[in-house]
Short mmCIF file of all heavy atoms in Angstrom, two decimals:
data_model
loop_
_atom_site.label_atom_id
_atom_site.label_comp_id
_atom_site.label_asym_id
_atom_site.label_seq_id
_atom_site.Cartn_x
_atom_site.Cartn_y
_atom_site.Cartn_z
N ARG T 1 30.07 -21.28 1.57
CA ARG T 1 31.29 -21.73 2.24
C ARG T 1 31.64 -20.82 3.40
O ARG T 1 32.16 -21.26 4.43
CB ARG T 1 32.45 -21.77 1.25
CG ARG T 1 33.75 -22.29 1.86
CD ARG T 1 34.91 -22.09 0.91
NE ARG T 1 34.79 -22.90 -0.28
CZ ARG T 1 35.24 -24.14 -0.39
NH1 ARG T 1 35.81 -24.73 0.64
NH2 ARG T 1 35.11 -24.81 -1.51
N HIS T 2 31.39 -19.52 3.25
CA HIS T 2 31.76 -18.55 4.27
C HIS T 2 30.55 -17.67 4.62
O HIS T 2 30.56 -16.46 4.35
CB HIS T 2 32.91 -17.66 3.79
CG HIS T 2 34.13 -18.44 3.41
ND1 HIS T 2 34.90 -19.11 4.33
CD2 HIS T 2 34.71 -18.65 2.20
CE1 HIS T 2 35.91 -19.71 3.71
NE2 HIS T 2 35.82 -19.44 2.42
N PRO T 3 29.52 -18.26 5.22
CA PRO T 3 28.34 -17.45 5.56
C PRO T 3 28.62 -16.49 6.69
O PRO T 3 29.44 -16.77 7.57
CB PRO T 3 27.31 -18.52 5.99
CG PRO T 3 28.14 -19.63 6.53
CD PRO T 3 29.38 -19.65 5.67
N ARG T 4 27.95 -15.35 6.67
CA ARG T 4 28.04 -14.42 7.80
C ARG T 4 27.03 -14.86 8.85
O ARG T 4 25.86 -15.04 8.55
CB ARG T 4 27.76 -12.99 7.34
CG ARG T 4 28.78 -12.47 6.35
CD ARG T 4 28.54 -11.02 6.02
NE ARG T 4 29.46 -10.54 5.01
CZ ARG T 4 29.48 -9.31 4.55
NH1 ARG T 4 28.61 -8.42 5.00
NH2 ARG T 4 30.35 -8.95 3.63
N GLN T 5 27.49 -14.98 10.07
CA GLN T 5 26.62 -15.45 11.13
C GLN T 5 26.38 -14.34 12.14
O GLN T 5 27.18 -13.42 12.27
CB GLN T 5 27.25 -16.66 11.84
CG GLN T 5 27.51 -17.83 10.88
CD GLN T 5 28.26 -18.93 11.57
OE1 GLN T 5 27.83 -19.43 12.59
NE2 GLN T 5 29.39 -19.31 11.02
N GLY T 6 25.24 -14.46 12.84
CA GLY T 6 24.92 -13.45 13.84
C GLY T 6 23.53 -12.90 13.65
O GLY T 6 22.79 -13.32 12.78
N PRO T 7 23.16 -11.91 14.45
CA PRO T 7 21.79 -11.39 14.41
C PRO T 7 21.41 -10.71 13.10
O PRO T 7 20.24 -10.54 12.81
CB PRO T 7 21.76 -10.38 15.58
CG PRO T 7 23.20 -10.02 15.80
CD PRO T 7 23.97 -11.27 15.49
N ALA T 8 22.41 -10.30 12.31
CA ALA T 8 22.11 -9.60 11.05
C ALA T 8 22.01 -10.55 9.87
O ALA T 8 21.95 -10.11 8.73
CB ALA T 8 23.18 -8.54 10.77
N ASP T 9 21.95 -11.86 10.13
CA ASP T 9 21.94 -12.83 9.04
C ASP T 9 20.86 -12.54 7.99
O ASP T 9 21.15 -12.51 6.81
CB ASP T 9 21.69 -14.25 9.59
CG ASP T 9 22.98 -14.88 10.08
OD1 ASP T 9 24.04 -14.37 9.74
OD2 ASP T 9 22.90 -15.88 10.80
N ALA T 10 19.62 -12.35 8.44
CA ALA T 10 18.51 -12.17 7.51
C ALA T 10 18.72 -10.94 6.64
O ALA T 10 18.53 -10.98 5.42
CB ALA T 10 17.19 -12.08 8.27
N VAL T 11 19.11 -9.84 7.26
CA VAL T 11 19.34 -8.60 6.51
C VAL T 11 20.47 -8.79 5.51
O VAL T 11 20.37 -8.38 4.33
CB VAL T 11 19.68 -7.45 7.48
CG1 VAL T 11 20.07 -6.20 6.71
CG2 VAL T 11 18.50 -7.16 8.39
N GLU T 12 21.56 -9.43 5.95
CA GLU T 12 22.71 -9.63 5.06
C GLU T 12 22.35 -10.53 3.88
O GLU T 12 22.76 -10.28 2.75
CB GLU T 12 23.87 -10.24 5.85
CG GLU T 12 24.49 -9.32 6.89
CD GLU T 12 25.24 -8.16 6.27
OE1 GLU T 12 25.54 -8.21 5.07
OE2 GLU T 12 25.53 -7.19 7.01
N VAL T 13 21.60 -11.59 4.16
CA VAL T 13 21.22 -12.51 3.08
C VAL T 13 20.34 -11.81 2.06
O VAL T 13 20.54 -11.94 0.85
CB VAL T 13 20.51 -13.76 3.66
CG1 VAL T 13 19.81 -14.54 2.56
CG2 VAL T 13 21.52 -14.65 4.37
N VAL T 14 19.35 -11.07 2.52
CA VAL T 14 18.46 -10.35 1.60
C VAL T 14 19.25 -9.37 0.75
O VAL T 14 19.06 -9.27 -0.47
CB VAL T 14 17.33 -9.63 2.37
CG1 VAL T 14 16.59 -8.66 1.45
CG2 VAL T 14 16.36 -10.64 2.96
N ARG T 15 20.16 -8.64 1.36
CA ARG T 15 20.98 -7.69 0.61
C ARG T 15 21.85 -8.39 -0.43
O ARG T 15 22.00 -7.92 -1.56
CB ARG T 15 21.86 -6.89 1.57
CG ARG T 15 21.11 -5.84 2.37
CD ARG T 15 22.05 -5.15 3.34
NE ARG T 15 21.37 -4.10 4.11
CZ ARG T 15 21.91 -3.48 5.14
NH1 ARG T 15 23.14 -3.79 5.54
NH2 ARG T 15 21.23 -2.53 5.78
N TYR T 16 22.42 -9.52 -0.03
CA TYR T 16 23.30 -10.25 -0.94
C TYR T 16 22.52 -10.80 -2.13
O TYR T 16 22.95 -10.66 -3.29
CB TYR T 16 24.00 -11.38 -0.19
CG TYR T 16 25.02 -12.11 -1.02
CD1 TYR T 16 26.24 -11.53 -1.33
CD2 TYR T 16 24.76 -13.39 -1.51
CE1 TYR T 16 27.18 -12.20 -2.10
CE2 TYR T 16 25.69 -14.07 -2.27
CZ TYR T 16 26.90 -13.47 -2.56
OH TYR T 16 27.83 -14.14 -3.33
N VAL T 17 21.39 -11.44 -1.86
CA VAL T 17 20.58 -12.00 -2.95
C VAL T 17 20.04 -10.88 -3.84
O VAL T 17 20.01 -11.01 -5.06
CB VAL T 17 19.44 -12.88 -2.39
CG1 VAL T 17 18.46 -13.27 -3.50
CG2 VAL T 17 20.03 -14.12 -1.72
N ALA T 18 19.62 -9.76 -3.23
CA ALA T 18 19.14 -8.63 -4.04
C ALA T 18 20.26 -8.12 -4.94
O ALA T 18 20.01 -7.73 -6.09
CB ALA T 18 18.65 -7.52 -3.12
N LEU T 19 21.51 -8.13 -4.44
CA LEU T 19 22.65 -7.72 -5.26
C LEU T 19 22.80 -8.65 -6.46
O LEU T 19 23.06 -8.19 -7.59
CB LEU T 19 23.92 -7.73 -4.42
CG LEU T 19 25.22 -7.35 -5.15
CD1 LEU T 19 25.16 -5.90 -5.63
CD2 LEU T 19 26.42 -7.55 -4.23
N LEU T 20 22.63 -9.95 -6.23
CA LEU T 20 22.70 -10.89 -7.35
C LEU T 20 21.58 -10.62 -8.36
O LEU T 20 21.80 -10.70 -9.57
CB LEU T 20 22.59 -12.32 -6.83
CG LEU T 20 23.72 -12.82 -5.92
CD1 LEU T 20 23.44 -14.26 -5.48
CD2 LEU T 20 25.07 -12.73 -6.60
N VAL T 21 20.41 -10.30 -7.85
CA VAL T 21 19.27 -10.02 -8.74
C VAL T 21 19.53 -8.78 -9.59
O VAL T 21 19.14 -8.73 -10.76
CB VAL T 21 17.97 -9.86 -7.92
CG1 VAL T 21 16.82 -9.37 -8.79
CG2 VAL T 21 17.59 -11.19 -7.25
N THR T 22 20.21 -7.78 -9.02
CA THR T 22 20.48 -6.56 -9.80
C THR T 22 21.35 -6.84 -11.02
O THR T 22 21.28 -6.10 -12.01
CB THR T 22 21.18 -5.48 -8.94
OG1 THR T 22 22.45 -5.96 -8.51
CG2 THR T 22 20.34 -5.07 -7.76
N ALA T 23 22.14 -7.90 -10.96
CA ALA T 23 23.00 -8.23 -12.10
C ALA T 23 22.19 -8.64 -13.33
O ALA T 23 22.71 -8.67 -14.44
CB ALA T 23 23.99 -9.33 -11.73
N THR T 24 20.91 -8.95 -13.15
CA THR T 24 20.05 -9.28 -14.29
C THR T 24 19.51 -8.02 -14.97
O THR T 24 18.78 -8.12 -15.96
CB THR T 24 18.86 -10.15 -13.83
OG1 THR T 24 18.02 -9.37 -12.96
CG2 THR T 24 19.34 -11.39 -13.10
N GLY T 25 19.84 -6.87 -14.42
CA GLY T 25 19.36 -5.61 -15.00
C GLY T 25 18.25 -4.97 -14.21
O GLY T 25 17.78 -3.88 -14.56
N VAL T 26 17.81 -5.62 -13.14
CA VAL T 26 16.77 -5.06 -12.28
C VAL T 26 17.39 -4.00 -11.36
O VAL T 26 18.50 -4.17 -10.87
CB VAL T 26 16.12 -6.18 -11.43
CG1 VAL T 26 15.13 -5.60 -10.43
CG2 VAL T 26 15.44 -7.19 -12.33
N GLY T 27 16.67 -2.90 -11.13
CA GLY T 27 17.17 -1.85 -10.24
C GLY T 27 17.30 -2.34 -8.81
O GLY T 27 16.64 -3.29 -8.39
N ARG T 28 18.14 -1.64 -8.02
CA ARG T 28 18.42 -2.08 -6.65
C ARG T 28 17.15 -2.12 -5.80
O ARG T 28 16.90 -3.12 -5.11
CB ARG T 28 19.44 -1.14 -6.01
CG ARG T 28 19.77 -1.47 -4.56
CD ARG T 28 20.82 -0.51 -4.02
NE ARG T 28 21.07 -0.77 -2.60
CZ ARG T 28 20.33 -0.29 -1.61
NH1 ARG T 28 19.28 0.47 -1.89
NH2 ARG T 28 20.62 -0.56 -0.35
#
């Protein structure tokens, strides 16, 4: 609903999804 737009999109998306993955118990 509220995506971050701009040149850092790819970096931000990877960081965000990696953060979700860490909630499964996987290290950062």
